[in-house]
Amino acid sequence: MIALEIGKVLHTLESLSLNFTANALKQEASQKGITIPFVSPQVIADLKQNFLNGDEHNFFVIWNKAAIVDHDLSFFLSIYFAFFPVFEKVQANIVKDEEVKNCQTEFGKKIIDIDDEIMPESEEAQLYFALGQVPKPHLRRQFAHIFQINWSTDLLAKCIAKMKTLLPSTTTNDSRKLERLKSEYDRLSYNSTQQQTYILNINFNL
């Protein structure tokens, strides 16, 4: 929870171009071993595009940086990316059995790599472990839905919803307060710079 709040503060500081303060916050958090989940609208857009492209590596670069913990959702994502290569072919009814088997093999590798501490928690999710074993899962009633666009769309929506919980609140009052703080910060910074210049000039003249 603390890391989440720090992430929201960091996003606000950077959106207001308070980079010095933002960098100091990141450095302090790093020294204390705190991983800051940082999410912006652009980050969410990138995540969505990686999902739609089936770019598993870059998707999880963003997902892991956001430090989202949802074992079931992560498990369903492993299913999505394992079978992504055949989704369109299944929907067009032109997929070959060998192509599905290759995806099942890839899914089996992912299952082996899952640590006991991040295993899916719900009974619903655990039912999908059989995906890597049953022949022609895309033709079986209990699994056919994951090859349809509605399932992928719903999965993406859940991911985006999780990411949006990390966005800072942007109420009008908060925005006005932050703008006033930024103006005050800029004024103080300017006065400090002017004062330092004045002192240096005095020393030079002496």
Side-chain angles (χ1 to χ4, degrees):
M1 182 60 71
I2 293 177
L4 174 59
E5 294 305 317
I6 292 176
K8 291 181 178 181
V9 172
L10 178 61
H11 174 76
T12 301
L13 291 173
E14 293 187 341
S15 67
L16 293 173
S17 299
L18 298 175
N19 297 324
F20 179 82
T21 306
N23 290 334
L25 176 60
K26 285 190 283 189
Q27 183 177 2
E28 182 74 14
S30 177
Q31 291 173 350
K32 295 184 181 300
I34 299 174
T35 301
I36 301 176
F38 172 64
V39 177
S40 68
Q42 184 57 53
V43 168
I44 294 177
D46 291 342
L47 182 92
K48 178 181 178 180
Q49 194 59 54
N50 291 330
F51 181 94
L52 296 175
N53 292 341
D55 189 342
E56 181 176 11
H57 172 75
N58 286 319
F59 177 93
F60 278 106
V61 166
I62 297 174
W63 186 258
N64 293 334
K65 185 178 179 181
I68 294 174
V69 179
D70 188 315
H71 299 169
D72 284 1
L73 191 54
S74 295
F75 178 70
F76 286 124
L77 284 169
S78 70
I79 294 175
Y80 172 81
F81 285 111
F83 289 91
F84 179 84
V86 299
F87 281 156
E88 290 186 358
K89 290 185 177 181
V90 170
Q91 293 161 19
N93 199 28
I94 58 173
V95 70
K96 297 179 181 179
D97 291 346
E98 191 62 32
E99 292 174 317
V100 176
K101 288 180 181 179
N102 290 338
C103 292
Q104 287 182 288
T105 300
E106 183 62 28
F107 177 65
K109 293 177 181 178
K110 294 178 184 296
I111 295 300
I112 293 175
D113 291 337
I114 293 180
D115 192 285
D116 288 341
E117 295 181 357
I118 58 174
M119 290 288 283
E121 298 172 339
S122 70
E123 292 183 4
E124 176 194 1
Q126 292 177 17
L127 293 175
Y128 289 88
F129 277 103
L131 259 174
Q133 304 296 326
V134 298
K136 300 181 180 181
H138 58 296
L139 299 179
R140 292 181 175 269
R141 182 176 56 83
Q142 64 268 43
F143 298 130
H145 63 282
I146 73 167
F147 296 90
Q148 302 304 314
I149 193 170
N150 288 344
W151 184 81
S152 300
T153 301
D154 181 62
L155 181 61
L156 176 59
K158 290 178 179 178
C159 291
I160 292 176
K162 285 285 185 180
M163 295 288 282
K164 284 185 175 181
T165 63
L166 304 180
L167 286 171
S169 59
T170 54
T171 63
T172 302
N173 289 337
D174 287 343
S175 298
R176 289 174 178 172
K177 289 178 182 178
L178 289 168
E179 287 294 344
R180 287 198 298 270
L181 287 172
K182 183 180 185 300
S183 298
E184 181 65 12
Y185 177 87
D186 291 340
R187 184 185 66 78
L188 292 173
S189 298
Y190 175 79
N191 290 342
S192 176
T193 301
Q194 290 294 99
Q195 186 178 23
Q196 291 176 9
T197 302
Y198 178 73
I199 292 173
L200 286 174
N201 287 337
I202 291 177
N203 290 336
F204 179 79
N205 293 330
L206 291 176

